[in-house]
Amino acid sequence: MSSKTDAQFYLICLLVFLCPSVELEAQLQMGFYGTSCGMAEFIVKDEVRKGFIRDKGVAPGLVRLHFHDCFVRGLNGCDGSVLIDSTPSNSAEKDSPANNPSLRGFEVIDNAKARLEAVCKGVVSCADIVAFAARDSVEITGGLGYDVPAGRRDGRISLSSEASANLPPPTFTVDQLTKLFSNKGLTQDEMVTLSGAHTIGRSHCSSFVNRLYNFNGTAGQDPTLDSQYAARLKTMCPKGSTDPNQVVPMNPSSPSITDEDYYVDVLRNRGLFTSDQSLLTDKTTANQVRQNARNVFLWKTKFASAMVKMGQLGVVTGDAGEIRANCRVING
């Protein structure tokens, strides 16, 4: 065998060896539905717009829906499993205490899916609809728009227990958050960046009431919580209340705008959750909070990039999974 032939042979072997890696990186594609369903992203954007007009809380709900979809299911992350309804024999992710009753925006996904099935039957996955809707929600609230690589397939398994085991509770410390995000392939800086999603939306009182009345079993309030802010929260979340519908804005000054005010509030000791305020307990994350508070364009740029990366966690592609006809039910 000549040296030229040898070189060609080894090059082919190398390419074959690398093929799986190349395929992995190319699993999702920009403009994936360009020829198969060219109106896909427009239809989703239109449904997000209509939902936002009816209820501005839909936008933060859809961003959170995407996060809660991607962080669950281990190797199969962003697979639309968060949309599946429970059955008599299975409690699904959406009914986990980590998701119910706080998750919202399902009707927007349903409406988009119904329209897409009417024009492109069996083509657009529910998982991609969630990813598109999250991007459109960021954009409609003042964040930066970004291209979403698509081609996700829908998973067929949804377990309440997996949601509880994989989603960060509001009581997490910065070290616990860092470890959880690292386990998902996300850096500490990306964790701080994605925490900025709390700039929009609302929270049920039950997620932070321990900071007001019984912090660490002391029967007092969290000493790191700004006293004036705590007093305001107590008026909205009275001690001993069992009303499950009591909610407060996570970023009171601009609850429907994607901006830097979340980081400004954290610096003022007005982070709503323990996990928010804990970002100041580490020198590196505290510096990142300050940077994001000072430079909103930088944070918005980093946030868009982090959302794209998060949206590729454990995706199901190719011939795996399915394209659900109804996002709430696996195909028969």
Side-chain angles (χ1 to χ4, degrees):
M1 188 181 291
S2 69
S3 58
K4 180 178 180 181
T5 305
D6 284 347
Q8 290 173 335
F9 174 76
Y10 287 118
L11 177 59
I12 291 171
C13 289
L14 181 61
L15 289 174
V16 169
F17 176 76
L18 291 177
C19 238
S21 299
V22 173
E23 183 182 356
L24 179 64
E25 294 176 359
Q27 283 177 339
L28 301 184
Q29 303 170 25
M30 300 296 186
F32 181 81
Y33 297 108
T35 56
S36 60
C37 190
M39 293 290 286
E41 294 191 49
F42 172 81
I43 288 173
V44 175
K45 186 182 290 288
D46 187 51
E47 288 302 323
V48 171
R49 180 189 62 81
K50 290 191 292 187
F52 186 71
I53 290 172
R54 291 190 298 268
D55 178 5
K56 285 183 169 53
V58 159
L62 289 168
V63 174
R64 189 162 179 256
L65 197 65
H66 187 37
F67 175 82
H68 283 223
D69 187 32
C70 292
F71 256 56
V72 181
R73 284 265 58 229
L75 295 176
N76 298 333
C78 310
D79 66 348
S81 55
V82 72
L83 305 172
I84 297 174
D85 285 343
S86 293
T87 66
S89 61
N90 179 65
S91 178
E93 290 174 32
K94 63 167 57 171
D95 287 321
S96 162
N99 287 329
N100 186 7
S102 57
L103 275 195
R104 57 200 306 216
F106 294 105
E107 71 284 354
V108 173
I109 306 300
D110 291 338
N111 293 340
K113 181 61 173 176
R115 286 179 61 183
L116 288 166
E117 285 296 297
V119 296
C120 311
K121 187 175 179 63
V123 174
V124 183
S125 71
C126 300
D128 276 342
I129 294 173
V130 172
F132 292 147
R135 181 268 314 277
D136 299 334
S137 297
V138 170
E139 190 172 14
I140 204 170
T141 55
L144 296 182
Y146 52 90
D147 291 330
V148 175
R152 298 166 186 81
R153 302 268 292 180
D154 297 323
R156 296 175 56 85
I157 299 173
S158 182
L159 302 174
S160 171
S161 58
E162 290 188 341
S164 299
N166 284 277
L167 294 170
T171 55
F172 257 20
T173 66
V174 68
D175 289 339
Q176 291 171 314
L177 288 170
T178 299
K179 182 178 179 179
L180 177 64
F181 276 69
S182 177
N183 289 342
K184 303 295 182 181
L186 296 165
T187 67
Q188 187 181 65
D189 182 61
E190 288 165 337
M191 178 271 288
V192 177
T193 297
L194 289 169
S195 294
H198 289 173
T199 189
I200 53 176
R202 65 187 190 181
S203 169
H204 287 77
C205 292
S206 57
S207 294
F208 60 86
V209 71
N210 68 300
R211 300 188 70 199
L212 302 178
Y213 303 112
N214 189 32
F215 184 68
N216 287 346
T218 61
Q221 75 181 41
D222 184 344
T224 67
L225 190 61
D226 175 78
S227 58
Q228 291 185 339
Y229 184 47
R232 191 189 320 164
L233 291 174
K234 287 178 180 178
T235 65
M236 294 184 282
C237 302
K239 186 176 183 178
S241 174
T242 57
D243 183 357
N245 298 314
Q246 286 179 320
V247 295
V248 302
M250 289 194 285
N251 176 210
S253 60
S254 54
S256 300
I257 302 174
T258 294
D259 58 20
E260 77 281 14
D261 281 359
Y262 163 78
Y263 297 104
V264 173
D265 280 345
V266 169
L267 290 173
R268 292 174 176 171
N269 293 323
R270 295 186 175 189
L272 186 60
F273 302 141
T274 298
S275 56
D276 294 325
Q277 206 57 52
S278 75
L279 298 181
L280 293 187
T281 63
D282 176 270
K283 182 178 179 180
T284 301
T285 56
N287 285 336
Q288 290 161 354
V289 168
R290 294 187 190 94
Q291 182 185 62
N292 293 337
R294 289 194 303 264
N295 192 332
V296 62
F297 181 76
L298 175 63
W299 169 69
K300 287 183 178 183
T301 302
K302 292 196 302 179
F303 186 77
S305 177
M307 286 289 285
V308 171
K309 183 176 177 180
M310 184 193 73
Q312 299 181 66
L313 296 180
V315 293
V316 180
T317 60
D319 295 326
E322 63 184 14
I323 303 296
R324 270 182 241 137
N326 177 345
C327 291
R328 294 175 179 265
V329 184
I330 62 175
N331 294 341

